[in-house]
Amino acid sequence: TYSRLFGREQGWDVGRGHPTFNPWLWPNPQAMIDEIKGQHFGIMLHQYPQIGRDAPQYDEFERKGLGIKTSDGSLMSYLGYQRDQDAWYSAYLDFTNPATREWWWKVHEGFFAMGVDSWWNDGGEGPEAGELYDGYWVKCHNVHDLLRDRLL
């Protein structure tokens, strides 16, 4: 987004695919959530179906093989960024895999405990190709995002 390219004012998270509160905007996330909810507002956070390589959860995600794969078995990267070359690299999560859904819920469980009410699950169209736990991407396209939406 514009703010991520040209300034510090970002969204709730550290960056796309990085499910951690931005400390510059949310120095005390729990206090901010409590204040907002005290004014009778709900909290909805925005996310994409991907995990960035600099996210604290990335190594576990990669080790467990929870992403969409390319035909050579490597992880499908978001927008074709290269894992070892691009700072914006992130990989798509494979929500047809029950282990991915369980893991992604655990990543988000703490946000709900803090008072987050819901998620805006953006980017559900995913890549145009890829190998999923339950088959080839074209066959699973709409089912993939339905599984993600049911999760959160």
Side-chain angles (χ1 to χ4, degrees), residues 9-10 26 28 81 87 114:
E9 300 78 17
Q10 300 180 25
W26 297 74
N28 185 339
Y81 292 118
M114 291 177 78

Side-chain angles (χ1 to χ4, degrees), residues 121-132:
N121 286 327
D122 202 356
E125 58 277 1
E128 295 181 12
E131 302 291 331
L132 286 87

